[in-house]
Amino acid sequence: MTTQPEQQQSVPRITVLAGGVGAARFLVGLLRVVDPSQVTVVVNTADDTVFHGLHVSPDIDTVVYTTAGAIDPERGWGLANESWRAMEALGRYGDAGAVTWFNLGDRDLATHLWRTGRLRDGASLTEVTAELAAAWGLTYRLLPVTNDPLATFVTTELGELPFQEYFVRHRHGIAVSAVRFAGAEFARPTNEVISAIESADQIIVAPSNPIVSIGPLLAVDGIRDSLMANRDRVVAISPIIAGAALKGPADRMLVELGMEASVVGVAKLYEPIVGTLIIDTADEASADLVRAAGVKVIVTDTIMSQPGVGDSLARHALGM
Amino acid sequence: MTTQPEQQQSVPRITVLAGGVGAARFLVGLLRVVDPSQVTVVVNTADDTVFHGLHVSPDIDTVVYTTAGAIDPERGWGLANESWRAMEALGRYGDAGAVTWFNLGDRDLATHLWRTGRLRDGASLTEVTAELAAAWGLTYRLLPVTNDPLATFVTTELGELPFQEYFVRHRHGIAVSAVRFAGAEFARPTNEVISAIESADQIIVAPSNPIVSIGPLLAVDGIRDSLMANRDRVVAISPIIAGAALKGPADRMLVELGMEASVVGVAKLYEPIVGTLIIDTADEASADLVRAAGVKVIVTDTIMSQPGVGDSLARHALGM
């Protein structure tokens, strides 16, 4: 750490590695306790897929809609005050091959229509995502982890499935025996992403699924190495609380893939890249085991549905 | 003409060459006076375009929605009981490059989403169009003129424009000095289209814009020749009545391109491929001039907004 006065006066730069819902909720708190211009969010794109020819970026959109205050609070995805006229009309074509199991609201469709048009025009996903954030009035920096194709596939009893088929069509109700990030061997992180990690004063791994939300970020060449080199400045928030995920299949997936669905399992998984793990007060008894895994521990409230917890959690993550 | 009994008993086969609104209205009458299974409709695809990555087929959809009784009767395009939530939401991205001048209703979007998905899956436009007709309960046969790319461009004072930019964005309010069908030199008609023309007992050129709706059909290799070879069985309905088009720019376009905006101009344009022209009673005085152009004439009411005129016009076109 430098002690030169001119650098002490500069505001700290914060980079967050993010998946979808959990990360987005954390960001709402973070953006209340720091100036948004200090924050860069690097988002998973391995959930991205093409439906009906439209490029859909579920995690990017969840982060944008949530931090813009436009998310549907009950569903946790998609826009509030949404309508489903297009999806209802799509039912007419169900017997003729229409994909009817992935719901795209009418207002949400506009985002996918516009993004698809921009990508066809030759814009990069990084450019389009910056424009998306600006269109929603967001003033933090939002970066897709890569502009290159990256797609999560999971092996199940039904064979290997694209992530959204597992997650949405089968409501993540089937066991996963393997996870693969197609394209990871060719995907390069953008310069902006590497720079955001290397120049950050604080790197935060949001409370997202460590396997299918954070995992793809780590699979992109250079990101794991960059985090390892900056491990002391990396703090992660455990998405597992008292052995369970608040939402989604992270807990089951950890067990299915031979790990522990506990803060200790998360600590062991993250140990090479994370210096400090924030665990919920419900897991206080496991703090020593986390330390034994080689990771420092902060114990605090992490369930953000309680008022004030998001802000407090963000302050803990920043060492404030 | 054969006089063998078994062929006399077979019902006549009717093939209609069609553009959008005018053709669709004519078809409603035709499908009331004959069994739909007798009818094949060959539709212009040179208005097709890609918006936001979605394959939009304006003429095919106008024909489907109209003959299914689902068209918005006031606009003449798109679905009745439509909503515009996606388009309204697209406005947010207007400054970021979204195409906001081409309106796609929420229910209509389902058609484009499904069609785009099917084409991406490898289905041909002919297959997708047959599925579309079936999904709307239509029992006549609907054929795109070609499965190959075909796109109308018009030269204007603003330069050469894709057809929908001219037609929708500029509301066909600028003069056209040239028309080009990009792809026509490579586009092949489908076997189904050539067979539908050659095997037809009666071929009807619907009251569509002769230049940009029927013109692209004639530009596809083999179709003009096939019509010339079967000219005696081809009857066209003039889209020009008393010097004007009921809708759209056909009258202005004829003049701008050096032809006459009259039934005589239509007769001269169609003479190589059309044996008989149906003109409106308002043009009765021009009947001799049409005959002088080498085309037989039928004079009858053709303005289909009047009750019963569509059916009567169809009967005239069939020589009933």
Side-chain angles (χ1 to χ4, degrees):
Chain A
M1 294 289 284
T2 178
T3 56
Q4 290 166 5
E6 64 273 26
Q7 297 221 0
Q8 285 184 332
Q9 287 171 4
S10 73
V11 293
R13 284 183 280 195
I14 302 151
T15 294
V16 181
L17 306 189
V21 176
R25 288 185 178 160
F26 170 74
L27 287 167
V28 170
L30 178 69
L31 293 165
R32 273 198 296 252
V33 302
V34 297
D35 189 299
S37 67
Q38 296 174 247
V39 176
T40 299
V41 182
V42 178
V43 184
N44 172 39
T45 57
D47 294 7
D48 287 24
T49 188
V50 173
F51 285 113
H52 325 289
L54 298 181
H55 186 107
V56 177
S57 293
D59 281 354
I60 287 173
D61 293 350
T62 293
V63 167
V64 168
Y65 293 167
T66 301
T67 55
I71 200 86
D72 183 289
E74 316 239 316
R75 283 195 310 275
W77 58 270
L79 290 164
N81 305 312
E82 187 56 286
S83 57
W84 307 90
R85 301 261 297 171
M87 286 301 109
E88 286 157 19
L90 197 64
R92 176 182 294 276
Y93 306 115
D95 290 341
V99 173
T100 54
W101 53 264
F102 194 87
N103 280 323
L104 295 167
D106 298 324
R107 295 178 65 215
D108 184 41
L109 267 170
T111 301
H112 312 307
L113 292 168
W114 163 76
R115 173 167 40 223
T116 303
R118 288 288 292 136
L119 292 171
R120 284 175 60 94
D121 287 345
S124 70
L125 189 60
T126 296
E127 293 171 309
V128 176
T129 302
E131 293 167 355
L132 177 67
W136 285 92
L138 303 175
T139 54
Y140 64 89
R141 194 159 66 138
L142 186 62
L143 299 174
V145 62
T146 179
N147 288 324
D148 298 324
L150 186 65
T152 299
F153 286 80
V154 296
T155 302
T156 72
E157 63 194 16
L158 302 173
E160 191 177 63
L161 301 177
F163 182 73
Q164 297 299 344
E165 285 215 26
Y166 158 75
F167 194 74
V168 175
R169 190 174 196 177
H170 297 287
R171 299 160 189 261
H172 51 76
I174 47 180
V176 169
S177 58
V179 174
R180 179 171 70 94
F181 306 120
E185 63 273 40
F186 305 112
R188 293 151 304 142
T190 63
N191 292 337
E192 291 90 334
V193 165
I194 290 295
S195 168
I197 292 172
E198 293 185 345
S199 70
D201 298 289
Q202 182 72 55
I203 301 163
I204 302 171
V205 179
S208 297
N209 186 315
I211 296 165
V212 292
S213 295
I214 304 302
L217 307 187
L218 305 179
V220 172
D221 185 50
I223 292 188
R224 175 179 282 272
D225 288 348
S226 186
L227 291 170
M228 287 174 74
N230 294 281
R231 181 179 181 277
D232 289 348
R233 286 182 280 147
V234 182
V235 57
I237 299 147
S238 174
I240 301 292
I241 299 173
L246 286 180
K247 191 177 164 97
D251 45 5
R252 282 172 282 128
M253 220 177 236
L254 281 164
V255 172
E256 289 157 10
L257 295 170
M259 291 169 272
E260 297 169 46
S262 70
V263 293
V264 179
V266 174
K268 289 176 179 171
L269 184 62
Y270 277 162
E271 184 274 330
I273 56 159
V274 165
T276 303
L277 185 67
I278 299 180
I279 64 174
D280 193 79
T281 46
D283 290 304
E284 189 158 16
S286 301
D288 283 342
L289 287 169
V290 171
R291 286 187 200 98
V295 178
K296 293 179 194 164
V297 182
I298 296 171
V299 182
T300 186
D301 290 333
T302 67
I303 301 181
M304 291 176 281
S305 55
Q306 303 296 321
V309 169
D311 299 24
S312 159
L313 180 59
R315 287 195 191 90
H316 276 285
L318 295 169
M320 286 161 73
Chain B
M1 293 288 283
T2 177
T3 55
Q4 288 166 4
E6 64 272 26
Q7 297 220 2
Q8 283 182 334
Q9 288 171 3
S10 72
V11 292
R13 284 184 279 195
I14 303 152
T15 294
V16 181
L17 306 189
V21 176
R25 288 184 177 161
F26 170 74
L27 287 168
V28 170
L30 179 69
L31 294 165
R32 274 198 295 252
V33 302
V34 297
D35 189 298
S37 67
Q38 296 173 247
V39 176
T40 299
V41 182
V42 178
V43 184
N44 172 39
T45 57
D47 294 8
D48 287 24
T49 189
V50 173
F51 286 113
H52 325 289
L54 299 182
H55 186 107
V56 177
S57 293
D59 282 354
I60 288 173
D61 293 350
T62 293
V63 167
V64 168
Y65 294 168
T66 302
T67 54
I71 201 86
D72 183 289
E74 316 237 317
R75 285 195 311 274
W77 57 269
L79 289 164
N81 305 313
E82 186 56 286
S83 58
W84 307 91
R85 300 261 296 171
M87 287 300 109
E88 286 157 20
L90 197 64
R92 176 183 295 276
Y93 306 114
D95 291 341
V99 172
T100 54
W101 53 265
F102 194 87
N103 280 322
L104 295 168
D106 299 324
R107 295 179 63 216
D108 184 40
L109 268 170
T111 301
H112 312 306
L113 293 168
W114 163 76
R115 173 168 38 224
T116 303
R118 288 289 291 137
L119 292 171
R120 285 175 58 96
D121 286 345
S124 70
L125 190 59
T126 297
E127 292 171 310
V128 175
T129 302
E131 293 167 354
L132 178 66
W136 285 92
L138 303 175
T139 53
Y140 64 89
R141 194 159 65 138
L142 186 62
L143 299 174
V145 62
T146 179
N147 288 324
D148 298 324
L150 185 66
T152 299
F153 286 81
V154 296
T155 303
T156 72
E157 64 193 14
L158 302 174
E160 191 177 62
L161 301 177
F163 182 73
Q164 297 298 345
E165 286 215 25
Y166 159 74
F167 194 75
V168 175
R169 190 174 197 178
H170 297 288
R171 298 160 190 261
H172 50 76
I174 48 180
V176 169
S177 59
V179 174
R180 179 171 70 93
F181 306 120
E185 64 274 39
F186 305 112
R188 292 152 304 141
T190 63
N191 292 339
E192 291 90 336
V193 165
I194 291 297
S195 167
I197 293 172
E198 295 185 343
S199 70
D201 297 289
Q202 183 72 57
I203 301 162
I204 302 172
V205 179
S208 297
N209 187 315
I211 296 165
V212 293
S213 294
I214 304 302
L217 306 188
L218 305 179
V220 172
D221 186 49
I223 292 188
R224 176 179 280 272
D225 288 348
S226 186
L227 291 169
M228 288 173 73
N230 295 281
R231 181 178 182 277
D232 290 347
R233 286 181 278 148
V234 182
V235 56
I237 298 146
S238 174
I240 302 293
I241 299 173
L246 287 180
K247 191 176 165 102
D251 45 5
R252 283 171 281 126
M253 219 177 238
L254 281 164
V255 171
E256 289 157 9
L257 295 171
M259 291 169 272
E260 297 169 46
S262 69
V263 292
V264 179
V266 174
K268 289 176 179 169
L269 184 62
Y270 278 162
E271 183 274 331
I273 56 158
V274 165
T276 304
L277 184 66
I278 298 180
I279 65 173
D280 192 79
T281 47
D283 289 305
E284 189 156 16
S286 301
D288 284 342
L289 287 169
V290 171
R291 286 186 199 100
V295 178
K296 293 180 194 164
V297 181
I298 296 171
V299 182
T300 186
D301 291 334
T302 67
I303 301 180
M304 291 176 283
S305 54
Q306 303 297 318
V309 169
D311 299 24
S312 160
L313 179 58
R315 286 196 190 91
H316 277 286
L318 295 170
M320 287 161 73

